[in-house]
């Protein structure tokens, strides 16, 4: 589909791609080619300039400029996304997309679904940001394409591909005795490419909770190692095969909330593998197939040790047919099988899912339409059919409106289905309806977007006190407004995002815990020759925890810099929480909290050859 106007490239975390946006020149600059990049997650060769979904992209430059230590920290720079950790680096972290929880958002790595089948969610904090080259985020219901768990949207991580015939080494030191080292090697020519990288990190960390009794008043450290491999081989001009592997191993120390700290540890190991083959038959017909595998293992050493492992194998194939420049049809078949191993005796340890889906994109004059439909057949909970419809209309040059409606569902995890003395094999999937309205515009060198949405979720997984089993007894309503403004002034690029969220339990009328009702993000960055400077302000208020306990609002200011000493040597430095703000995002008990990190400073030397 040909967009009516183009998209302007945004600053860190602000590549909001709702509808056909703009790449209008600022101060006479040329159009940015990023507008023509394919948004892989949106399917059907949609680009930044013409996708009707509310989408965001972090490029490699964005990730470098941000200099965050975790993927959740990066994601919460996007409007409508917030994170709640459990006491500093490496702790269990939940990412909320428009108020929906981690189990209601799909996470993919190079096209492969990842995460724990027992918990029903992916631990985004377990994947090193240093191994990631690109992140795409789609907000809204995407069960019409991706099936289960796409109520909030889809987060896709793309591992690094590297630069051909280049080696890169880097070392980082920072607060709390942070030590980090990275090594990457790229090889290739016009026919093939190969990228191998390894990363290690260690920090003494902070004391994760305010509990200081029974040995809990000590620092709780974190260690992480990762290895990634990315390869590509071309067979002629039409066929390309790609292999991507990401392996991680992390160990985090934690406090005992109700007892003695005996050296509590959780070790998490993940392995994601994606083998894909694409073939371009002609200018209008293409085919792609992906074989995937994901392993997620978690071992906890404490007074109550446990071990949970998920093995998921997947296969997907799809055909994209372009009938004209304005009409594209994508059809596909999807299959995955999940097996679990555990120190807990689950009565059922495997299930499989088969699905077919289709997406149609078309445009007529100023009207653009994207419709999707998918049917899933799961061996554990039966059939689910979901879809979505999005319509965009160009009001005039530089102003566009879009509206969408979609349904989605969340698959019950193995814990909800089969955990001894709790699981209920008759529990049904959660189901949702979502409506979104957006207005997108551009005047001079300013891009803006206003979006209003409502998500209603039924059959929420919960605990039935009458049967002492898992049950579908909850309902939630999440309503919000997102405002984004991006502009250039005095050679600085500014991004402003403001979010209002009303997340309510429809049965009790109470506010849902862990979601901030009001949040604000302001980003400014500028290049001074070899020096790139970025400043970020994040503030929130109206967060509740532990059944409605209000938490105080806060604001954080970060600053980072990237300086190219030469073509080979680069220095990166950042200070997070510059004013050493003491704040709380998560309560550990009714009287104690999970601590948050104070001022953090890091410096990195990177050399390429």
């Amino acid at each position: 589909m040909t967009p009516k106007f183009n998209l302007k490239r945004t600053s860190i975390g602000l590549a909001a791609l709702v509808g056909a946006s703009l790449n209008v020149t600022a101060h006479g600059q040329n159009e940015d080619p990023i507008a023509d990049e394919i948004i892989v997650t949106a399917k059907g060769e949609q680009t930044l300039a013409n996708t009707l979904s509310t989408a965001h992209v972090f490029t490699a430059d964005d990730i470098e400029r941000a200099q965050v230590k975790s993927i959740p920290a990066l994601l919460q720079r996007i409007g409508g996304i917030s994170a709640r950790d459990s006491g500093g680096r490496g702790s269990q972290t939940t990412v909320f997309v428009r108020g929906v929880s981690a189990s209601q958002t799909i996470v993919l790595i190079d096209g492969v679904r990842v995460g724990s089948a027992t918990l029903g969610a992916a631990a985004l904090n377990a994947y090193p940001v240093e191994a990631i080259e690109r992140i795409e985020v789609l907000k809204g219901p995407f069960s019409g394409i991706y099936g289960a768990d796409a109520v909030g949207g889809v987060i896709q991580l793309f591992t690094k591909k590297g630069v051909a015939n280049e080696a890169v080494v880097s070392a980082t030191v920072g607060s709390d005795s942070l030590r980090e080292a990275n090594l990457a090697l790229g090889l290739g020519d016009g026919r093939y490419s190969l990228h191998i990288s390894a990363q290690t990190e260690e920090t003494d960390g902070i004391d994760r909770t305010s509990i200081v009794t029974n040995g809990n008043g000590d620092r709780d450290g974190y260690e992480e190692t990762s290895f990634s491999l990315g390869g590509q081989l071309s067979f002629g001009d039409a066929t390309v095969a790609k292999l991507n592997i990401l392996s991680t191993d992390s160990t985090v120390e934690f406090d005992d909330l109700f007892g003695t700290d005996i050296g509590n540890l959780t070790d998490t190991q993940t392995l994601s593998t994606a083998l894909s083959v694409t073939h371009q038959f002609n200018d209008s017909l293409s085919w792609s197939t992906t074989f995937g595998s994901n392993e997620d293992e978690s071992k906890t050493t404490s007074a109550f040790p446990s071990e949970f492992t998920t093995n998921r194998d997947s296969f997907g194939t799809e055909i994209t047919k372009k009938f004209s420049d304005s009409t594209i049809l994508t059809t596909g078949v999807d299959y995955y099988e999940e097996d679990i191993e555990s120190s807990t005796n689950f009565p059922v340890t495997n299930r499989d899912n088969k699905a077919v889906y289709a997406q149609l994109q078309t445009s007529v004059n100023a009207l653009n339409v994207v419709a999707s439909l998918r049917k899933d057949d799961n061996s554990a909970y039966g059939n689910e059919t979901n879809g979505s419809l999005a319509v965009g209309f160009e009001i005039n040059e530089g102003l566009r409106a879009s509206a969408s409606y979609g349904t989605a569902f969340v698959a019950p995890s193995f814990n909800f289905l089969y955990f001894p003395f709790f699981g209920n094999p008759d529990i049904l999937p959660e189901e949702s309806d979502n409506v979104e309205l957006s207005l997108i515009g551009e005047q001079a060198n300013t891009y803006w977007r206003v979006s209003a949405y409502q998500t209603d979720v039924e059959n929420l997984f919960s605990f039935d006190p009458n049967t002492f089993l898992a049950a579908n007894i909850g309902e939630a309503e999440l309503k919000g407004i997102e405002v984004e403004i991006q502009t250039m002034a005095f050679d600085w690029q500014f991004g402003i995002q403001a979010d209002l969220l009303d997340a309510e339990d429809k049965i009790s009328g109470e506010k849902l815990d862990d979601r901030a009702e009001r949040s604000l993000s302001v980003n400014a960055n500028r290049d001074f020759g070899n020096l790139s400077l970025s400043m970020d302000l994040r503030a929130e208020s109206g967060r509740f925890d532990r059944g409605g306990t209000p938490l105080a609002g806060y604001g954080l200011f970060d600053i980072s810099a990237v300086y190219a000493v030469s073509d080979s040597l680069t220095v990166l430095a950042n200070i997070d929480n510059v004013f050493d703000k003491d704040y709380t995002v998560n309560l550990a008990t009714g009287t104690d909290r999970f601590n948050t990190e104070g001022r953090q400073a890091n410096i990195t030397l990177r050399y390429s050859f």
Side-chain angles (χ1 to χ4, degrees):
M1 292 181 290
T2 302
K4 301 300 181 180
F5 52 101
N6 295 321
L7 173 73
K8 171 183 171 183
R9 183 166 191 250
T10 61
S11 58
I12 296 177
L14 294 176
L17 317 173
V18 184
S21 304
L22 49 145
N23 191 355
V24 177
T25 59
H27 304 295
Q29 298 175 11
N30 295 326
E31 289 189 352
D32 195 325
I34 194 173
D36 297 323
E37 288 190 7
I38 299 295
I39 305 301
V40 176
T41 315
K43 303 287 188 182
E45 301 181 3
Q46 296 185 66
T47 68
L48 270 170
N50 65 28
T51 177
L52 290 182
S53 305
T54 304
H56 305 256
V57 172
F58 290 99
T59 65
D61 289 341
D62 295 332
I63 295 171
E64 177 181 271
R65 188 181 293 115
Q67 295 188 55
V68 295
K69 302 306 297 179
S70 71
I71 290 172
L74 183 65
L75 290 174
Q76 66 179 349
R77 297 191 177 199
I78 295 175
I81 296 183
S82 63
R84 183 201 72 168
D85 66 33
S86 301
R89 182 75 178 107
S91 64
Q92 181 179 349
T93 303
T94 301
V95 174
F96 297 90
V97 179
R98 287 183 168 175
V100 306
S101 64
S103 63
Q104 298 167 325
T105 302
I106 289 177
V107 176
L108 307 173
I109 297 181
D110 295 314
V112 174
R113 179 188 290 255
V114 299
S116 166
T118 51
L119 293 176
L124 280 165
N125 54 295
Y127 300 105
V129 70
E130 295 82 7
I132 304 304
E133 181 174 82
R134 178 182 175 91
I135 300 176
E136 295 179 0
V137 178
L138 297 183
K139 297 177 186 173
F142 278 88
S143 287
I145 300 176
Y146 290 99
D149 311 330
V151 173
V154 182
I155 299 171
Q156 180 155 204
L157 314 178
F158 297 87
T159 52
K160 284 187 175 179
K161 306 301 183 291
V163 178
N165 303 313
E166 180 182 79
V168 180
V169 294
S170 67
T172 301
V173 294
S175 301
D176 300 322
S177 301
L178 173 69
R179 292 90 67 195
E180 183 178 326
N182 295 271
L183 171 65
L185 175 64
L187 303 171
D189 57 19
R191 181 170 171 266
Y192 81 94
S193 65
L194 178 66
H195 177 258
I196 302 173
S197 67
Q199 176 262 346
T200 181
E201 175 188 343
E202 184 175 353
T203 176
D204 291 348
I206 63 173
D207 186 7
R208 299 199 185 277
T209 70
S210 61
I211 303 170
V212 296
T213 57
N214 298 321
N216 287 295
D218 60 338
R219 285 178 175 262
D220 299 298
Y222 177 70
E223 298 179 6
E224 177 185 74
T225 59
S226 68
F227 169 83
S228 65
L229 181 150
Q232 177 174 311
L233 180 63
S234 299
F235 299 90
D237 296 330
T239 305
V240 177
K242 297 180 181 179
L243 175 65
N244 298 100
I245 299 173
L246 175 61
S247 173
T248 72
D249 187 350
S250 60
T251 301
V252 58
E253 300 175 347
F254 63 94
D255 285 348
D256 190 322
L257 303 185
F258 303 101
T260 300
D261 184 351
I262 60 172
N264 302 321
L265 300 171
T266 295
D267 182 74
T268 301
Q269 298 182 22
T270 71
L271 176 62
S272 175
T273 304
L275 173 62
S276 64
V277 179
T278 60
H279 181 75
Q280 191 76 36
F281 293 98
N282 51 51
D283 291 340
S284 63
L285 183 64
S286 63
W287 162 82
S288 65
T289 294
T290 299
F291 299 89
S293 176
N294 175 239
E295 299 177 19
D296 187 297
E297 179 182 277
S298 178
K299 296 181 180 179
T300 298
T301 302
S302 67
F304 301 95
S306 63
E307 180 177 346
F308 296 91
T309 300
T310 295
N311 296 286
R312 182 184 297 106
D313 295 318
S314 59
F315 166 81
T317 186
E318 68 180 32
I319 294 176
T320 299
K321 172 64 176 178
K322 183 182 293 185
F323 294 95
S324 67
D325 289 340
S326 61
T327 302
I328 300 175
L329 176 66
T330 302
T331 58
V333 175
D334 185 54
Y335 173 83
Y336 63 86
E337 181 177 1
E338 297 174 324
D339 293 280
I340 64 169
E341 301 173 14
S342 173
S343 54
T344 301
N345 186 23
F346 284 79
V348 177
T349 60
N350 64 80
R351 65 184 179 188
D352 62 67
N353 191 93
K354 300 178 287 290
V356 294
Y357 62 89
Q359 176 176 275
L360 177 66
Q361 308 156 234
T362 189
S363 64
V364 179
N365 297 322
L367 184 68
N368 292 332
V369 178
V370 178
S372 67
L373 185 68
R374 171 171 168 141
K375 181 175 181 178
D376 287 84
D377 180 8
N378 193 282
S379 61
Y381 51 81
N383 297 325
E384 281 284 337
T385 301
N386 290 270
S388 65
L389 176 66
V391 178
F393 183 77
E394 183 186 353
I395 300 172
N396 55 46
E397 185 177 359
L399 183 64
R400 182 186 181 93
S402 67
S404 66
Y405 170 79
T407 63
F409 74 105
V410 179
S413 67
F414 275 83
N415 283 351
F416 280 115
L417 285 166
Y418 307 120
F419 196 90
F421 308 108
F422 169 75
N424 177 4
D426 296 322
I427 198 169
L428 300 173
E430 297 178 340
E431 297 182 346
S432 73
D433 293 274
N434 176 277
V435 177
E436 179 178 349
L437 300 174
S438 296
L439 192 63
I440 311 101
E442 191 270 344
Q443 290 77 36
N445 62 344
T446 300
Y447 163 84
W448 57 269
R449 174 179 69 91
V450 179
S451 297
Y453 62 88
Q454 178 170 322
T455 302
D456 292 296
V457 188
E458 298 179 344
N459 295 335
L460 282 172
F461 306 140
S462 186
F463 172 73
D464 188 342
N466 296 316
T467 64
F468 298 98
L469 298 176
N472 301 104
I473 57 176
E475 296 182 30
E477 181 181 78
L478 304 105
K479 299 181 293 185
I481 297 176
E482 297 174 354
V483 178
E484 297 192 12
I485 302 173
Q486 305 145 33
T487 190
M488 292 286 296
F490 307 105
D491 295 323
W492 285 82
Q493 186 172 24
F494 293 92
I496 302 172
Q497 298 183 96
D499 301 287
L500 298 176
L501 173 65
D502 182 11
E504 181 180 284
D505 184 317
K506 292 183 68 174
I507 296 177
S508 67
E510 297 179 353
K511 300 295 183 181
L512 296 181
D513 285 344
D514 306 320
R515 288 87 164 164
E517 292 184 324
R518 297 167 293 276
S519 61
L520 174 69
S521 175
V522 180
N523 170 265
N525 63 80
R526 180 181 175 183
D527 292 333
F528 299 86
N530 292 345
L531 175 66
S532 175
L533 184 65
S534 180
M535 294 180 287
D536 292 274
L537 171 66
R538 291 180 293 113
E540 71 166 45
S541 63
R543 187 188 289 259
F544 299 87
D545 199 4
R546 298 189 68 81
T549 302
L551 303 180
Y554 64 89
L556 303 177
F557 179 69
D558 307 332
I559 186 169
S560 60
V562 180
Y563 181 67
V565 179
S566 66
D567 291 341
S568 300
L569 181 62
T570 303
V571 180
L572 303 91
N574 70 289
I575 304 176
D576 294 338
N577 193 1
V578 171
F579 300 108
D580 201 22
K581 175 69 176 180
D582 184 29
Y583 63 103
T584 301
V585 296
N586 193 2
L587 296 178
T589 69
T591 57
D592 296 285
R593 68 165 191 167
F594 287 104
N595 292 326
T596 50
E597 294 173 324
R599 184 186 298 113
Q600 299 281 301
N602 305 306
I603 185 168
T604 299
L605 296 179
R606 186 178 65 208
Y607 185 75
S608 60
F609 55 94

